[in-house]
Every structure is written in structure tokens, then in C-alpha cells.
Amino acid sequence: MSVSIVQKYNVPGPRYTSYPTVPYWEEENFHLEDWKRTLLQSFKESNNTEGISLYIHLPFCESLCTFCGCNKRITKRHEVEDPYITAVIKEWKLYCDLFPRKPIIKEIHLGGGTPTFFSPENLERLINGIFQYATKAEEHEFSFEGHPNNTTKQHLQKLYDLGFRRVSFGVQDYASNVQEAIHRIQPFHNVAKVTFWAKEIGYTSIGHDLIFGLPFQTLSDVKDTIDKTKSLFPDRLAFYSYAHVPWIKGNGQRGFKDEDLPKDDEKRKLYEEGKKQLAQNGYHEIGMDHFALENDSMYTSFKEGKLHRNFMGYTASKTQLMIGLGVSSISDSWYSFAQNEKTIEDYYTHLADNQLPIFRGHVLTSEDLIIRRHILNLMCQFTTSWKDKTLDFPELTSVLTSLEEMREDGLLTIQDETITVTEKGKPFVRNICMAFDLRLIRKAPETKLFSMTI
């Protein structure tokens, strides 16, 4: 890939876990009653047919990883576990009190923070507390993020017994100097141990999360990390581009300088090498930054056109309604978004008053809903079409005009009222989506909001 193409398109841009993206929410026009109204509309439309998804944010970590941009609370005091789980279960009950009947849960994802900061017994209390007020869909997918340094066999067995069949382990990179820079000292032995335990217990989808573009990371580091990874043969892999966003309040991204990060074509070479090695070992590219073996549900979902993307990232199946529980979690009723309070103290205060702990949100307009469909199609299937006239919109002509240069650069094709991302264009899918992002086009950011697209 030529240097000029990488430099040309390496601009700040969203990762599109939602549209509109959070900085473009119309918070001033949002009220809690809007969220409740669209929540119930979506529940009535989808609960009996596809069920709902739960994302549960477990924010505590024992130490700070300096590559992380997530909402977290650093502490070694494990007495924080019990009140937090009590609060999450209370939040869930407040939702269930609104529903006309018992919800059917199709997906649960435990994210963080570090979910395995919590003891197996407290995680069991959490999941049992959720199912006091809900039933399990026949075909469900429950997953969690495990930290290889503190995930025990007891964690894995307990969550398996509760219905979890998918686990993803955060690996990032195995080079010692990279691990020191990001404050994540994690020997290969620890990752191998938890991976083998998960296989032995019976998990059907084991994932490893890798990152390229980390401080001091070299091409040989990426090769070595993927060599070690393929020896463990996880079912799926996330191979993320490091999102450097040190300006975000509360972010842990420090301890290294900007000049310590690989840039532009150098960074892209890390991805291309990793992608080549993964392909040689039977991993298929799925959406953006994800790879899976043919036996994995994500590969099947991609091939069948059912892959979905939301605030949890890529999921193997779509649910119209996703509820986020816990501090800073974002919920999605398809018609609106709602985000919980970002501090644990404010989160607890709302719940003490028997109020949903929501502090901002956005109600999607009819235009938002159309653009959202196009961006989801591009992110999940690398193609979108307006043959269905419900996906046509007045600005489509100007969008197609803005994509002409990308078409000339070989990143996409446009024919038969359909855009298809080429193999060359897959690394630039965020840029292609930006051409559809009417809110971004109408009001360019005046400050730093997004990480670089490459």
C-alpha cells in the first residue's frame, strides 16, 4: 500500500459503534421520558421475536493500563464489589418494572474495567440477580472480557455454569518494552493458561484482543505476538488500531510520548503484516479489525449477512434493544440512545432515589435512522445499497460525489445503486462511512474528538 494513500486518508474519524456518534447527540432535546417511550416501543416490537441484549459495565481495575480509553476506577479494595453489584441489580429491576412482561435475554456481555476483578461468587450473584426478573432465550450468547493475569479457573467454570460460552482475553502485545510502556505486564504463560482452561471447560468461542500501533511496537513485535497467538489457536481475534485520545478526561493514556508511537505508513505496515499472517492461518477478516475461524459464530454471521455492530462492538446477532447497566453504560432502543452517569457516586445517587441513572441521550430523527442503516451495512458487510427506496435520502447525490475520489483510488466500487468496499478499501472503511455522516459534514469538530482512522 502506497505511503501517499495512507497519509491521504489518515484523518481523525469515528469508529461508528453508533450513529449519530456521541459528540453529535442532541442532548438539549433529550428527556428521560423520551428514552422510556422508545424503550417500551422497542421492547414491544422485539422482545418476543429476538429478545434483548444486556451490556453490563464492571469498571474496577487493580492497576492502570496506559493504552486504555475506557471508563474505569483503579482500586485494590475488593469491598467495592458488593455494593456495585447490588446497584446494578437495582438498576435492572427499575427497567423490568417498566416492561409489560418479563424480558427475554438473548445476549449478555460483561465489559470493563476488568470483569474478573470481581470474585466468581459475586459474578454469580450478579447473573442470578438479572434472571430474577428475566428469562433466557433458547439461543443465547453470553460473553465476558477476561484479564489473563487475574482470571482464575473458578471464574471460567462459574461463568460457564451460568451459560457463558464466549470469552475474550486482552493480550495487546507480548513485547516486554511495549508491555512496560502501557503498564500491562502479562507473560505469554498467563494467556496460554487461561486459554487452555477455557478450552478444557468447554467454551465454544475463545477470543484474543491484540492492538497494533502501540508505543515502541515494531514489525517484529507484531510477528512474534501473532506467532504466539496462533500457537494457542483462539477462535476469533480482534486486531485493533490503537486509538490515541489522551485529551479525553480521565483517560489513562500517559507514560509515553507521541513520538513513541508508530505513524501513518509505519503503523499500517503493522496491520498489513498481521492481517497477512492471520489469513495464512485460516482467519477470515470480519468487519473492521476482527478475524475469525470458519467454526466461529461471528464468521457464520458475517457470511449470512447477520453481523451487527453496537456499543459492545461486533456481535454475531442483532437485537433491536440493548440495555446498558452500570456506570457510563450506553443503551440503544434503535430509536434513541441513553448514557448512564459517568461517576460511580452520581450513579449510586440516582439509584438511591429510585431513578434510572441516565444523564444524556439522543432521539434519532428519520434521517438519522436512514444514515445509521447505511453505516451499519458498510461496517458489517462492506457494502450498502439504496435499491430499497426507504434508504434513499436527499443528500445521497452529494455523498456519492464525495466518494468519487475514493472510487478513483480503488477503495470502493459504485454500481447498480450499490457501494461495495474493495479489498484495498477495507482498512479505510471508517473514512467511507464518514462520507455518509451528515452530522459530521454539517458541523466539523472544533476540538479533538476522534482517534486517527489509520
Side-chain angles (χ1 to χ4, degrees):
M1 186 177 294
S2 70
V3 172
S4 60
I5 290 286
V6 173
Q7 291 179 337
K8 182 177 184 178
Y9 292 109
N10 192 20
V11 296
R15 300 185 78 86
Y16 291 113
T17 49
S18 74
Y19 181 82
T21 56
V22 176
Y24 287 91
W25 286 2
E26 294 178 357
E27 298 177 34
E28 66 281 1
N29 298 327
F30 176 84
H31 303 284
L32 183 59
E33 291 311 308
D34 294 322
W35 168 240
K36 289 181 180 178
R37 173 178 53 79
T38 65
L39 169 82
L40 289 175
Q41 178 185 351
S42 192
F43 182 86
K44 289 171 184 175
E45 289 174 356
S46 65
N47 183 57
N48 286 340
T49 55
E50 62 186 20
I52 70 174
S53 297
L54 290 186
Y55 170 77
I56 305 176
H57 190 70
L58 302 173
F60 303 109
C61 300
E62 288 197 340
S63 66
L64 178 69
C65 301
T66 60
F67 67 90
C68 178
C70 301
N71 181 290
K72 64 270 182 185
R73 178 69 64 90
I74 309 302
T75 181
K76 293 186 184 295
R77 295 174 53 244
H78 283 265
E79 57 265 33
V80 299
E81 294 181 35
D82 189 68
Y84 188 80
I85 285 175
T86 298
V88 169
I89 294 171
K90 181 172 184 178
E91 182 188 1
W92 174 234
K93 184 178 185 303
L94 289 175
Y95 272 110
C96 292
D97 288 345
L98 296 172
F99 297 144
R101 56 189 175 277
K102 235 179 185 182
I104 300 167
I105 298 178
K106 184 174 186 179
E107 288 184 313
I108 294 177
H109 183 70
L110 307 182
T114 306
T116 46
F117 173 96
F118 288 76
S119 70
E121 294 72 26
N122 274 328
L123 292 174
E124 180 179 36
R125 186 164 77 86
L126 170 64
I127 301 305
N128 287 341
I130 295 296
F131 283 106
Q132 273 184 275
Y133 312 106
T135 57
K136 206 178 286 185
E138 282 187 28
E139 294 185 14
H140 56 272
E141 185 169 287
F142 298 170
S143 59
F144 73 98
E145 298 165 12
H147 191 322
N149 285 355
N150 68 12
T151 299
T152 64
K153 197 169 186 179
Q154 289 72 29
H155 279 114
L156 290 162
Q157 187 64 60
K158 182 66 71 178
L159 288 167
Y160 183 88
D161 293 343
L162 291 166
F164 286 72
R165 295 295 181 268
R166 188 167 78 77
V167 56
S168 59
F169 295 115
V171 174
Q172 325 328 334
D173 189 278
Y174 286 115
S176 58
N177 61 328
V178 174
Q179 290 190 357
E180 286 170 14
I182 64 175
H183 201 236
R184 177 81 171 223
I185 309 302
Q186 185 170 272
F188 173 71
H189 170 76
N190 288 6
V191 181
K193 181 174 62 177
V194 292
T195 300
F196 289 134
W197 280 343
K199 289 184 179 190
E200 178 188 328
I201 288 168
Y203 281 80
T204 55
S205 180
I206 300 166
H208 286 187
D209 294 346
L210 312 179
I211 297 179
F212 66 93
L214 290 168
F216 307 112
Q217 193 178 43
T218 66
L219 200 58
S220 63
D221 293 334
V222 168
K223 288 179 180 178
D224 179 65
T225 292
I226 291 181
D227 275 340
K228 286 185 168 71
T229 299
K230 70 189 185 187
S231 73
L232 301 178
F233 222 48
D235 302 282
R236 67 174 71 165
L237 284 161
F239 191 39
Y240 294 115
S241 168
Y242 168 57
H244 191 53
V245 286
W247 55 84
I248 294 178
K249 185 179 179 183
N251 201 309
Q253 294 180 334
R254 55 182 182 268
F256 49 86
K257 304 184 183 78
D258 284 359
E259 53 265 35
D260 298 329
L261 299 169
K263 301 287 194 306
D264 294 339
D265 57 308
E266 181 188 359
K267 182 178 180 182
R268 202 67 218 167
K269 283 178 186 173
L270 302 181
Y271 174 78
E272 294 299 333
E273 177 59 34
K275 178 179 172 180
K276 182 180 78 174
Q277 281 190 256
L278 292 171
Q280 289 169 351
N281 287 277
Y283 289 94
H284 297 267
E285 190 168 16
I286 310 291
M288 182 183 75
D289 302 336
H290 285 67
F291 299 81
L293 298 174
E294 290 188 5
N295 66 297
D296 191 80
S297 62
M298 187 168 281
Y299 174 80
T300 304
S301 181
F302 176 71
K303 295 300 286 184
E304 293 176 351
K306 296 177 181 176
L307 191 67
H308 184 55
R309 184 169 172 83
N310 56 27
F311 290 104
M312 296 188 288
Y314 284 108
T315 65
S317 59
K318 174 187 174 293
T319 60
Q320 182 171 309
L321 178 58
M322 188 198 85
I323 295 176
L325 302 176
V327 64
S328 79
S329 287
I330 299 178
S331 298
D332 176 2
S333 70
W334 186 258
Y335 305 109
S336 71
F337 302 124
Q339 183 172 24
N340 281 354
E341 291 285 358
K342 286 189 170 184
T343 71
I344 291 171
E345 292 75 16
D346 289 338
Y347 175 73
Y348 284 168
T349 297
H350 278 280
L351 291 170
D353 293 334
N354 294 314
Q355 294 291 323
L356 291 177
I358 289 163
F359 87 104
R360 66 174 174 180
H362 174 85
V363 178
L364 280 78
T365 65
S366 56
E367 179 189 88
D368 289 338
L369 289 166
I370 293 170
I371 300 302
R372 181 182 194 185
R373 288 279 301 280
H374 283 296
I375 287 177
L376 270 174
N377 290 343
L378 288 164
M379 294 295 287
C380 295
Q381 298 300 327
F382 294 124
T383 186
T384 194
S385 173
W386 52 100
K387 288 179 183 178
D388 177 350
K389 294 309 174 187
T390 62
L391 290 181
D392 200 349
F393 57 99
E395 290 86 350
L396 179 59
T397 301
S398 62
V399 168
L400 296 176
T401 300
S402 71
L403 287 169
E404 187 58 28
E405 190 171 2
M406 293 189 200
R407 188 191 66 77
E408 291 173 358
D409 286 333
L411 307 185
L412 54 90
T413 62
I414 305 174
Q415 56 187 20
D416 297 329
E417 299 181 303
T418 301
I419 292 169
T420 303
V421 182
T422 63
E423 194 64 34
K424 182 180 179 182
K426 285 181 180 179
F428 303 97
V429 67
R430 288 167 69 184
N431 301 77
I432 296 168
C433 290
M434 286 166 68
F436 281 87
D437 191 338
L438 299 183
R439 289 182 178 270
L440 179 66
I441 291 165
R442 289 167 186 157
K443 187 181 178 183
E446 296 176 358
T447 58
K448 290 181 177 179
L449 292 179
F450 305 114
S451 63
M452 303 300 278
T453 56
I454 308 299

